Amino acid sequence: MAQCPELCRIVLHFLALDTKNIRNSINSWLYPSLTFGTLLLLWWLASSRGYLSEQFFPTPGAFVTGFREEVASGSLLRDTLASLSRVAAGYALSVVVGVPLGMILGTVLGARLALLPLLNFLRSLSPLAWIPFAIFWIGIGHGAVIFLIVIAALPTIALSTMAAVAGIPKVYFRVAQDYDLTGVHRLTRVIFPAILPQLVTTLRVAMGLCWLVMVAGEMLAGNTGLGYLIHDANNGLRLDLIVVGMVVIGLLGMLCDRLLMFLTRLPGIRWGYDR
Amino acid sequence: MSTGSIRIKGLSHSYGATAVLKDIHLDVSPGEFVAIVGPSGSGKSTLLSLLSGYLKPTSGVLERTGTTRTVHQADGLYPWLTVEGNLALGLPKLDASARQRAVTDMVGRIGLAGFEKAFPHALSGGMRQRVEIGRALCGGTDVLMLDEPFSALDYLTRLKMRSELCRLLEDQPRTVILVTHDIEEATQLADRVLVLSERPASIVYELKIDVPRPRDVTAPGVVDATKAVLKAMGYKP
Protein backbone atom coordinates (compact mmCIF):
# COMPACT_ATOMS: atom_id res chain seq x y z
CA MET A 1 0.00 0.00 0.00
CA ALA A 2 2.88 2.27 0.79
CA GLN A 3 3.95 1.98 -2.82
CA CYS A 4 0.57 3.18 -4.04
CA PRO A 5 1.21 6.94 -3.90
CA GLU A 6 4.55 6.44 -5.66
CA LEU A 7 2.88 4.32 -8.33
CA CYS A 8 0.15 6.93 -8.76
CA ARG A 9 2.81 9.61 -9.07
CA ILE A 10 4.62 7.65 -11.78
CA VAL A 11 1.38 6.93 -13.68
CA LEU A 12 0.37 10.59 -13.44
CA HIS A 13 3.83 11.62 -14.55
CA PHE A 14 3.58 9.46 -17.67
CA LEU A 15 0.02 10.60 -18.27
CA ALA A 16 1.17 14.19 -18.00
CA LEU A 17 3.99 13.51 -20.46
CA ASP A 18 1.58 11.80 -22.86
CA THR A 19 -0.89 14.63 -22.64
CA LYS A 20 1.87 17.10 -23.37
CA ASN A 21 3.12 15.06 -26.31
CA ILE A 22 -0.36 14.59 -27.71
CA ARG A 23 -1.04 18.31 -27.33
CA ASN A 24 2.22 19.16 -29.08
CA SER A 25 1.46 16.73 -31.92
CA ILE A 26 -2.02 18.15 -32.38
CA ASN A 27 -0.71 21.72 -32.28
CA SER A 28 2.00 20.97 -34.82
CA TRP A 29 -0.72 20.03 -37.30
CA LEU A 30 -3.53 22.29 -36.12
CA TYR A 31 -1.81 25.66 -36.37
CA PRO A 32 -0.35 25.17 -39.88
CA SER A 33 -3.72 23.74 -41.02
CA LEU A 34 -5.46 26.84 -39.67
CA THR A 35 -3.02 29.11 -41.54
CA PHE A 36 -3.37 27.26 -44.84
CA GLY A 37 -7.14 26.87 -44.37
CA THR A 38 -7.50 30.61 -43.81
CA LEU A 39 -5.46 31.37 -46.92
CA LEU A 40 -7.56 28.96 -49.00
CA LEU A 41 -10.74 30.49 -47.65
CA LEU A 42 -9.52 34.02 -48.45
CA TRP A 43 -8.51 32.89 -51.95
CA TRP A 44 -11.91 31.30 -52.53
CA LEU A 45 -13.76 34.35 -51.15
CA ALA A 46 -11.68 36.81 -53.17
CA SER A 47 -12.23 34.81 -56.37
CA SER A 48 -15.93 34.12 -55.88
CA ARG A 49 -16.75 37.73 -54.90
CA GLY A 50 -14.80 39.09 -57.86
CA TYR A 51 -12.06 40.84 -55.85
CA LEU A 52 -9.43 38.70 -57.60
CA SER A 53 -9.70 38.72 -61.37
CA GLU A 54 -9.09 35.41 -63.11
CA GLN A 55 -6.81 37.34 -65.47
CA PHE A 56 -4.40 37.98 -62.60
CA PHE A 57 -4.77 34.88 -60.46
CA PRO A 58 -6.60 31.57 -61.10
CA THR A 59 -9.65 30.56 -59.07
CA PRO A 60 -9.40 27.57 -56.73
CA GLY A 61 -11.62 25.68 -59.20
CA ALA A 62 -9.29 26.42 -62.11
CA PHE A 63 -6.36 25.32 -59.95
CA VAL A 64 -8.05 21.97 -59.18
CA THR A 65 -8.89 21.44 -62.86
CA GLY A 66 -5.35 22.26 -63.92
CA PHE A 67 -3.95 19.96 -61.22
CA ARG A 68 -6.14 17.05 -62.38
CA GLU A 69 -5.13 17.71 -65.99
CA GLU A 70 -1.43 17.58 -65.11
CA VAL A 71 -1.84 14.43 -63.01
CA ALA A 72 -3.89 12.67 -65.70
CA SER A 73 -1.38 13.45 -68.43
CA GLY A 74 1.45 12.17 -66.21
CA SER A 75 3.46 15.32 -66.81
CA LEU A 76 3.21 16.46 -63.17
CA LEU A 77 4.76 13.21 -61.94
CA ARG A 78 7.46 13.38 -64.64
CA ASP A 79 8.30 17.01 -63.83
CA THR A 80 8.25 16.35 -60.09
CA LEU A 81 10.61 13.40 -60.41
CA ALA A 82 12.93 15.39 -62.68
CA SER A 83 13.08 18.28 -60.21
CA LEU A 84 13.48 15.99 -57.21
CA SER A 85 16.33 14.08 -58.84
CA ARG A 86 18.13 17.33 -59.70
CA VAL A 87 17.71 18.74 -56.20
CA ALA A 88 18.81 15.41 -54.70
CA ALA A 89 21.90 15.19 -56.93
CA GLY A 90 22.92 18.84 -56.51
CA TYR A 91 22.25 18.80 -52.78
CA ALA A 92 24.10 15.52 -52.20
CA LEU A 93 27.11 16.76 -54.17
CA SER A 94 27.12 20.06 -52.27
CA VAL A 95 26.92 18.30 -48.90
CA VAL A 96 29.54 15.65 -49.72
CA VAL A 97 32.02 18.31 -50.87
CA GLY A 98 30.88 21.28 -48.78
CA VAL A 99 30.90 19.73 -45.30
CA PRO A 100 34.44 18.28 -45.43
CA LEU A 101 35.64 21.46 -47.16
CA GLY A 102 34.11 23.55 -44.38
CA MET A 103 35.72 21.33 -41.75
CA ILE A 104 39.10 21.76 -43.43
CA LEU A 105 38.60 25.53 -43.69
CA GLY A 106 37.68 25.64 -40.02
CA THR A 107 40.77 23.74 -38.91
CA VAL A 108 43.53 24.55 -41.41
CA LEU A 109 44.53 28.20 -41.43
CA GLY A 110 46.33 27.97 -44.79
CA ALA A 111 43.25 26.53 -46.50
CA ARG A 112 41.09 29.24 -44.93
CA LEU A 113 43.38 32.02 -46.11
CA ALA A 114 43.55 30.57 -49.61
CA LEU A 115 39.91 29.66 -50.19
CA LEU A 116 37.77 31.93 -48.02
CA PRO A 117 37.88 34.95 -50.38
CA LEU A 118 36.94 32.72 -53.34
CA LEU A 119 34.01 31.17 -51.46
CA ASN A 120 32.80 34.59 -50.34
CA PHE A 121 33.08 35.81 -53.92
CA LEU A 122 31.01 32.87 -55.18
CA ARG A 123 28.48 33.26 -52.39
CA SER A 124 27.95 36.93 -53.22
CA LEU A 125 27.41 36.13 -56.89
CA SER A 126 23.87 35.19 -57.87
CA PRO A 127 23.88 31.61 -59.18
CA LEU A 128 21.65 32.81 -62.00
CA ALA A 129 24.63 34.71 -63.43
CA TRP A 130 26.12 31.28 -64.21
CA ILE A 131 23.17 30.23 -66.38
CA PRO A 132 24.77 31.25 -69.72
CA PHE A 133 27.93 29.30 -68.85
CA ALA A 134 25.93 26.33 -67.56
CA ILE A 135 24.12 26.12 -70.91
CA PHE A 136 27.30 26.81 -72.89
CA TRP A 137 29.41 24.21 -71.03
CA ILE A 138 26.88 21.51 -70.22
CA GLY A 139 23.89 22.22 -72.42
CA ILE A 140 20.22 22.62 -71.52
CA GLY A 141 18.92 19.91 -69.21
CA HIS A 142 19.78 17.90 -66.17
CA GLY A 143 23.49 18.71 -65.82
CA ALA A 144 23.10 22.47 -66.12
CA VAL A 145 20.49 22.63 -63.34
CA ILE A 146 22.57 20.43 -61.03
CA PHE A 147 25.58 22.65 -61.74
CA LEU A 148 23.58 25.75 -60.73
CA ILE A 149 22.35 24.08 -57.55
CA VAL A 150 25.90 23.12 -56.57
CA ILE A 151 27.21 26.62 -57.34
CA ALA A 152 24.55 28.03 -55.01
CA ALA A 153 24.57 25.50 -52.18
CA LEU A 154 28.22 24.48 -51.88
CA PRO A 155 29.70 27.84 -50.77
CA THR A 156 26.87 28.29 -48.25
CA ILE A 157 27.37 24.82 -46.78
CA ALA A 158 31.16 25.15 -46.69
CA LEU A 159 31.09 28.61 -45.07
CA SER A 160 28.46 27.65 -42.50
CA THR A 161 30.37 24.47 -41.63
CA MET A 162 33.54 26.52 -41.28
CA ALA A 163 31.76 28.95 -38.95
CA ALA A 164 30.43 26.01 -36.91
CA VAL A 165 33.94 24.58 -36.55
CA ALA A 166 35.28 28.01 -35.55
CA GLY A 167 32.61 28.18 -32.85
CA ILE A 168 33.60 24.91 -31.17
CA PRO A 169 34.60 25.73 -27.58
CA LYS A 170 38.35 25.58 -27.00
CA VAL A 171 37.83 23.23 -24.07
CA TYR A 172 36.69 20.43 -26.44
CA PHE A 173 40.07 20.53 -28.18
CA ARG A 174 41.88 20.54 -24.85
CA VAL A 175 39.91 17.48 -23.77
CA ALA A 176 40.76 15.86 -27.13
CA GLN A 177 44.44 16.53 -26.44
CA ASP A 178 44.16 15.02 -22.94
CA TYR A 179 42.54 11.87 -24.29
CA ASP A 180 44.82 11.46 -27.31
CA LEU A 181 42.15 12.22 -29.88
CA THR A 182 44.32 13.48 -32.70
CA GLY A 183 44.25 13.49 -36.50
CA VAL A 184 41.28 11.64 -37.96
CA HIS A 185 39.93 10.81 -34.47
CA ARG A 186 39.84 14.51 -33.62
CA LEU A 187 37.94 15.19 -36.84
CA THR A 188 35.44 12.34 -36.52
CA ARG A 189 35.02 12.10 -32.74
CA VAL A 190 35.26 15.76 -31.72
CA ILE A 191 34.85 18.25 -34.55
CA PHE A 192 32.12 16.48 -36.52
CA PRO A 193 29.83 15.64 -33.57
CA ALA A 194 30.41 19.09 -32.09
CA ILE A 195 29.09 20.82 -35.21
CA LEU A 196 26.24 18.42 -35.98
CA PRO A 197 23.39 20.50 -34.46
CA GLN A 198 24.52 23.60 -36.35
CA LEU A 199 25.12 21.49 -39.44
CA VAL A 200 21.49 20.38 -39.48
CA THR A 201 20.42 24.04 -39.53
CA THR A 202 22.88 24.64 -42.37
CA LEU A 203 21.50 21.66 -44.28
CA ARG A 204 17.97 22.97 -43.89
CA VAL A 205 18.92 26.42 -45.17
CA ALA A 206 20.87 24.87 -48.05
CA MET A 207 17.90 22.68 -48.98
CA GLY A 208 15.71 25.76 -49.29
CA LEU A 209 18.38 27.37 -51.46
CA CYS A 210 18.48 24.29 -53.71
CA TRP A 211 14.76 24.53 -54.39
CA LEU A 212 15.04 28.25 -55.15
CA VAL A 213 17.85 27.74 -57.63
CA MET A 214 16.29 24.63 -59.12
CA VAL A 215 13.19 26.60 -60.17
CA ALA A 216 15.21 29.41 -61.72
CA GLY A 217 17.62 26.94 -63.34
CA GLU A 218 14.85 24.84 -64.88
CA MET A 219 13.09 27.95 -66.15
CA LEU A 220 16.13 29.00 -68.12
CA ALA A 221 18.37 25.97 -68.54
CA GLY A 222 15.95 23.03 -68.26
CA ASN A 223 13.65 21.18 -70.58
CA THR A 224 11.68 19.30 -67.91
CA GLY A 225 10.88 19.80 -64.23
CA LEU A 226 8.60 21.93 -62.13
CA GLY A 227 10.50 25.13 -62.95
CA TYR A 228 10.12 24.34 -66.63
CA LEU A 229 6.41 23.60 -66.03
CA ILE A 230 5.98 27.11 -64.61
CA HIS A 231 7.99 28.64 -67.46
CA ASP A 232 5.98 26.70 -70.07
CA ALA A 233 2.67 27.60 -68.40
CA ASN A 234 3.71 31.26 -68.40
CA ASN A 235 4.35 31.09 -72.15
CA GLY A 236 0.92 29.51 -72.65
CA LEU A 237 -0.74 32.02 -70.26
CA ARG A 238 -1.90 29.09 -68.06
CA LEU A 239 -1.95 30.80 -64.68
CA ASP A 240 -3.61 27.73 -63.15
CA LEU A 241 -0.63 25.55 -64.08
CA ILE A 242 1.81 28.14 -62.73
CA VAL A 243 0.07 27.88 -59.35
CA VAL A 244 0.07 24.06 -59.62
CA GLY A 245 3.86 24.18 -60.08
CA MET A 246 4.24 26.64 -57.23
CA VAL A 247 2.13 24.58 -54.83
CA VAL A 248 3.97 21.33 -55.63
CA ILE A 249 7.37 23.02 -55.19
CA GLY A 250 6.29 24.56 -51.90
CA LEU A 251 4.95 21.26 -50.59
CA LEU A 252 8.07 19.36 -51.62
CA GLY A 253 10.27 22.02 -50.01
CA MET A 254 8.27 21.71 -46.79
CA LEU A 255 8.49 17.92 -46.91
CA CYS A 256 12.28 18.01 -47.36
CA ASP A 257 12.58 20.43 -44.45
CA ARG A 258 10.45 18.17 -42.23
CA LEU A 259 12.62 15.20 -43.14
CA LEU A 260 15.77 17.12 -42.22
CA MET A 261 14.13 18.26 -38.99
CA PHE A 262 13.79 14.61 -37.98
CA LEU A 263 17.58 14.58 -37.71
CA THR A 264 17.30 16.87 -34.70
CA ARG A 265 15.66 14.00 -32.81
CA LEU A 266 18.73 11.80 -33.07
CA PRO A 267 20.49 11.53 -29.68
CA GLY A 268 23.84 12.65 -31.12
CA ILE A 269 22.24 15.87 -32.39
CA ARG A 270 19.40 16.55 -29.97
CA TRP A 271 21.76 17.89 -27.28
CA GLY A 272 22.23 21.03 -29.37
CA TYR A 273 18.50 21.75 -29.25
CA ASP A 274 17.69 20.58 -25.71
CA ARG A 275 20.14 22.83 -23.89
CA MET B 1 50.28 5.47 -5.79
CA SER B 2 50.71 7.78 -8.76
CA THR B 3 54.06 8.06 -10.44
CA GLY B 4 53.33 11.45 -11.96
CA SER B 5 55.61 14.31 -11.02
CA ILE B 6 56.28 17.84 -12.21
CA ARG B 7 59.46 19.88 -12.19
CA ILE B 8 59.59 23.52 -13.21
CA LYS B 9 62.74 25.65 -13.28
CA GLY B 10 62.76 29.36 -14.13
CA LEU B 11 59.52 29.17 -16.12
CA SER B 12 58.24 32.39 -17.66
CA HIS B 13 55.38 33.02 -20.04
CA SER B 14 54.18 36.02 -22.01
CA TYR B 15 51.28 36.77 -24.34
CA GLY B 16 53.01 39.04 -26.84
CA ALA B 17 54.45 41.91 -24.84
CA THR B 18 52.41 41.06 -21.75
CA ALA B 19 54.41 39.05 -19.24
CA VAL B 20 52.10 36.73 -17.30
CA LEU B 21 54.41 34.41 -15.38
CA LYS B 22 57.94 35.17 -14.29
CA ASP B 23 60.61 32.84 -12.97
CA ILE B 24 58.42 30.09 -11.51
CA HIS B 25 60.19 27.26 -9.68
CA LEU B 26 58.18 24.26 -8.53
CA ASP B 27 58.65 20.59 -7.74
CA VAL B 28 55.61 18.37 -7.28
CA SER B 29 56.30 14.88 -5.94
CA PRO B 30 54.31 11.79 -6.93
CA GLY B 31 51.03 11.60 -5.01
CA GLU B 32 51.28 15.18 -3.73
CA PHE B 33 48.25 17.50 -3.78
CA VAL B 34 49.30 21.07 -4.58
CA ALA B 35 46.92 24.01 -4.74
CA ILE B 36 47.73 27.26 -6.53
CA VAL B 37 45.90 30.41 -5.49
CA GLY B 38 46.37 34.03 -6.39
CA PRO B 39 44.63 37.27 -7.28
CA SER B 40 42.21 37.32 -10.17
CA GLY B 41 44.07 37.59 -13.49
CA SER B 42 47.40 36.65 -11.92
CA GLY B 43 47.99 33.81 -14.36
CA LYS B 44 46.79 30.76 -12.41
CA SER B 45 44.96 29.31 -15.41
CA THR B 46 47.90 30.09 -17.70
CA LEU B 47 50.16 28.16 -15.33
CA LEU B 48 47.74 25.23 -15.36
CA SER B 49 47.56 25.37 -19.19
CA LEU B 50 51.36 25.17 -19.27
CA LEU B 51 51.38 22.28 -16.81
CA SER B 52 48.67 20.48 -18.84
CA GLY B 53 50.65 20.93 -22.03
CA TYR B 54 48.08 23.17 -23.73
CA LEU B 55 50.61 25.98 -23.95
CA LYS B 56 54.38 26.00 -24.39
CA PRO B 57 56.34 28.24 -22.00
CA THR B 58 58.14 31.24 -23.40
CA SER B 59 61.23 30.27 -21.42
CA GLY B 60 62.31 27.91 -18.66
CA VAL B 61 62.19 24.18 -18.08
CA LEU B 62 59.02 22.16 -17.55
CA GLU B 63 59.34 18.41 -17.02
CA ARG B 64 56.38 16.10 -16.51
CA THR B 65 56.25 12.40 -15.96
CA GLY B 66 53.13 10.30 -16.46
CA THR B 67 49.84 11.02 -18.16
CA THR B 68 48.11 14.30 -17.37
CA ARG B 69 44.40 15.02 -17.56
CA THR B 70 42.47 18.13 -16.67
CA VAL B 71 39.11 18.68 -15.03
CA HIS B 72 37.82 21.94 -16.45
CA GLN B 73 35.85 24.69 -14.80
CA ALA B 74 32.63 23.85 -16.69
CA ASP B 75 31.40 22.24 -19.89
CA GLY B 76 34.42 20.02 -20.32
CA LEU B 77 32.21 17.01 -21.04
CA TYR B 78 31.34 16.19 -24.63
CA PRO B 79 27.61 16.96 -24.83
CA TRP B 80 27.04 14.45 -27.64
CA LEU B 81 28.24 11.57 -25.46
CA THR B 82 26.36 9.99 -22.58
CA VAL B 83 27.87 9.62 -19.11
CA GLU B 84 29.16 6.20 -20.21
CA GLY B 85 30.55 7.57 -23.44
CA ASN B 86 32.40 10.38 -21.66
CA LEU B 87 33.85 8.02 -19.07
CA ALA B 88 34.93 5.55 -21.75
CA LEU B 89 37.01 8.32 -23.38
CA GLY B 90 39.39 8.12 -20.46
CA LEU B 91 39.97 4.40 -20.80
CA PRO B 92 42.84 2.88 -22.69
CA LYS B 93 42.18 0.44 -25.54
CA LEU B 94 40.30 -2.47 -23.94
CA ASP B 95 37.99 -5.11 -25.29
CA ALA B 96 34.28 -4.26 -25.11
CA SER B 97 33.46 -6.25 -21.96
CA ALA B 98 36.48 -5.00 -20.00
CA ARG B 99 35.64 -1.48 -21.09
CA GLN B 100 32.05 -1.84 -19.94
CA ARG B 101 33.20 -3.23 -16.58
CA ALA B 102 35.58 -0.31 -16.10
CA VAL B 103 32.87 2.20 -16.99
CA THR B 104 30.32 0.55 -14.68
CA ASP B 105 32.91 0.56 -11.90
CA MET B 106 33.61 4.26 -12.34
CA VAL B 107 29.90 5.12 -12.58
CA GLY B 108 29.50 3.45 -9.18
CA ARG B 109 32.52 5.25 -7.73
CA ILE B 110 31.21 8.66 -8.74
CA GLY B 111 27.73 7.80 -7.44
CA LEU B 112 25.90 8.06 -10.74
CA ALA B 113 24.50 4.54 -11.07
CA GLY B 114 21.28 4.82 -13.08
CA PHE B 115 22.55 7.81 -15.05
CA GLU B 116 24.81 5.87 -17.42
CA LYS B 117 22.73 6.73 -20.48
CA ALA B 118 22.09 10.35 -19.51
CA PHE B 119 23.53 13.17 -21.60
CA PRO B 120 25.43 15.94 -19.79
CA HIS B 121 22.74 18.57 -20.32
CA ALA B 122 20.32 16.39 -18.34
CA LEU B 123 22.62 16.38 -15.28
CA SER B 124 23.08 18.96 -12.53
CA GLY B 125 26.31 20.96 -12.32
CA GLY B 126 27.62 18.77 -9.50
CA MET B 127 26.84 15.56 -11.36
CA ARG B 128 28.59 16.87 -14.49
CA GLN B 129 31.71 17.67 -12.47
CA ARG B 130 31.63 14.20 -10.94
CA VAL B 131 31.61 12.72 -14.45
CA GLU B 132 34.53 14.96 -15.42
CA ILE B 133 36.52 13.86 -12.40
CA GLY B 134 35.62 10.23 -13.07
CA ARG B 135 36.66 10.55 -16.70
CA ALA B 136 39.96 12.11 -15.72
CA LEU B 137 40.62 9.33 -13.19
CA CYS B 138 39.78 6.53 -15.65
CA GLY B 139 42.60 4.58 -17.16
CA GLY B 140 45.41 5.23 -14.71
CA THR B 141 45.95 8.96 -15.09
CA ASP B 142 49.07 10.00 -13.19
CA VAL B 143 48.60 13.74 -12.79
CA LEU B 144 45.17 15.27 -12.27
CA MET B 145 44.88 18.97 -13.09
CA LEU B 146 41.89 20.72 -11.57
CA ASP B 147 41.05 24.08 -13.12
CA GLU B 148 38.65 25.70 -10.64
CA PRO B 149 36.52 22.57 -10.94
CA PHE B 150 33.84 23.55 -8.45
CA SER B 151 33.65 27.30 -9.01
CA ALA B 152 30.36 27.09 -10.92
CA LEU B 153 28.64 25.21 -8.07
CA ASP B 154 26.81 26.50 -5.02
CA TYR B 155 28.59 26.45 -1.64
CA LEU B 156 27.00 23.28 -0.22
CA THR B 157 27.56 21.35 -3.45
CA ARG B 158 31.16 22.57 -3.44
CA LEU B 159 31.66 21.19 0.08
CA LYS B 160 30.11 17.89 -0.96
CA MET B 161 32.24 17.70 -4.10
CA ARG B 162 35.42 18.33 -2.09
CA SER B 163 34.55 15.35 0.15
CA GLU B 164 33.83 13.19 -2.89
CA LEU B 165 37.12 14.18 -4.48
CA CYS B 166 38.94 13.19 -1.27
CA ARG B 167 37.13 9.83 -1.26
CA LEU B 168 37.99 9.18 -4.93
CA LEU B 169 41.63 10.12 -4.36
CA GLU B 170 41.78 7.87 -1.32
CA ASP B 171 40.67 4.97 -3.55
CA GLN B 172 42.92 5.97 -6.43
CA PRO B 173 45.77 8.22 -5.23
CA ARG B 174 47.04 10.69 -7.83
CA THR B 175 49.33 13.65 -8.08
CA VAL B 176 46.98 16.64 -8.11
CA ILE B 177 47.40 20.28 -9.07
CA LEU B 178 44.42 22.43 -8.13
CA VAL B 179 44.06 25.95 -9.40
CA THR B 180 41.42 27.86 -7.52
CA HIS B 181 40.39 31.30 -6.36
CA ASP B 182 38.73 29.67 -3.33
CA ILE B 183 41.33 29.73 -0.55
CA GLU B 184 39.20 27.63 1.75
CA GLU B 185 39.02 24.95 -0.97
CA ALA B 186 42.79 25.02 -1.32
CA THR B 187 43.45 24.67 2.41
CA GLN B 188 40.81 21.99 2.87
CA LEU B 189 42.20 19.79 0.11
CA ALA B 190 45.88 20.41 -0.54
CA ASP B 191 49.11 19.17 1.05
CA ARG B 192 50.75 22.36 -0.07
CA VAL B 193 49.33 25.76 -1.05
CA LEU B 194 51.25 28.12 -3.33
CA VAL B 195 50.34 31.80 -3.59
CA LEU B 196 50.99 33.69 -6.81
CA SER B 197 51.70 37.41 -6.88
CA GLU B 198 50.09 39.96 -9.22
CA ARG B 199 51.17 39.89 -12.87
CA PRO B 200 53.81 38.99 -13.89
CA ALA B 201 53.19 36.28 -11.33
CA SER B 202 55.73 34.36 -9.35
CA ILE B 203 55.32 32.17 -6.28
CA VAL B 204 55.49 34.49 -3.28
CA TYR B 205 54.32 32.20 -0.51
CA GLU B 206 54.22 28.48 0.16
CA LEU B 207 52.40 26.69 2.98
CA LYS B 208 52.51 23.02 3.88
CA ILE B 209 49.35 21.71 5.55
CA ASP B 210 50.00 18.64 7.62
CA VAL B 211 46.41 17.71 8.45
CA PRO B 212 45.04 14.33 7.33
CA ARG B 213 42.26 14.27 4.72
CA PRO B 214 39.27 14.40 4.70
CA ARG B 215 39.41 17.69 6.54
CA ASP B 216 36.58 19.61 8.12
CA VAL B 217 36.51 23.13 6.75
CA THR B 218 36.10 24.43 10.32
CA ALA B 219 38.98 22.34 11.77
CA PRO B 220 41.60 24.54 13.52
CA GLY B 221 44.42 23.42 11.20
CA VAL B 222 42.41 24.34 8.10
CA VAL B 223 41.18 27.65 9.54
CA ASP B 224 44.74 28.63 10.54
CA ALA B 225 46.02 27.72 7.08
CA THR B 226 43.26 29.78 5.43
CA LYS B 227 44.18 32.77 7.62
CA ALA B 228 47.87 32.38 6.75
CA VAL B 229 47.17 32.24 3.01
CA LEU B 230 44.83 35.22 3.21
CA LYS B 231 47.50 37.18 5.05
CA ALA B 232 50.06 36.24 2.39
CA MET B 233 47.68 37.55 -0.26
CA GLY B 234 47.50 40.89 1.54
CA TYR B 235 44.03 40.50 3.01
CA LYS B 236 43.35 42.58 6.11
CA PRO B 237 40.00 42.15 7.89
Side-chain angles (χ1 to χ4, degrees), chain A residues 43 79-80 85 105 116 120 130 160 165 172 186 216 248 251 256:
Chain A
W43 182 18
D79 286 332
T80 303
S85 65
L105 292 173
L116 193 58
N120 271 321
W130 288 94
S160 297
V165 172
Y172 293 172
R186 196 171 92 122
V248 174
L251 289 174
C256 291

Side-chain angles (χ1 to χ4, degrees), chain A residues 171-172 174-179 271, chain B residues 49 53-54 70 76 78-80 136:
Chain A
V171 69
Y172 293 172
R174 292 187 161 185
V175 171
Q177 189 181 327
D178 275 359
Y179 296 92
W271 61 270
Chain B
S49 293
Y54 303 143
T70 304
Y78 285 152
W80 55 90

Side-chain angles (χ1 to χ4, degrees), chain A residues 71-84:
Chain A
V71 171
S73 70
S75 60
L76 187 62
L77 181 66
R78 194 187 60 233
D79 286 332
T80 303
L81 289 176
S83 292
L84 267 176

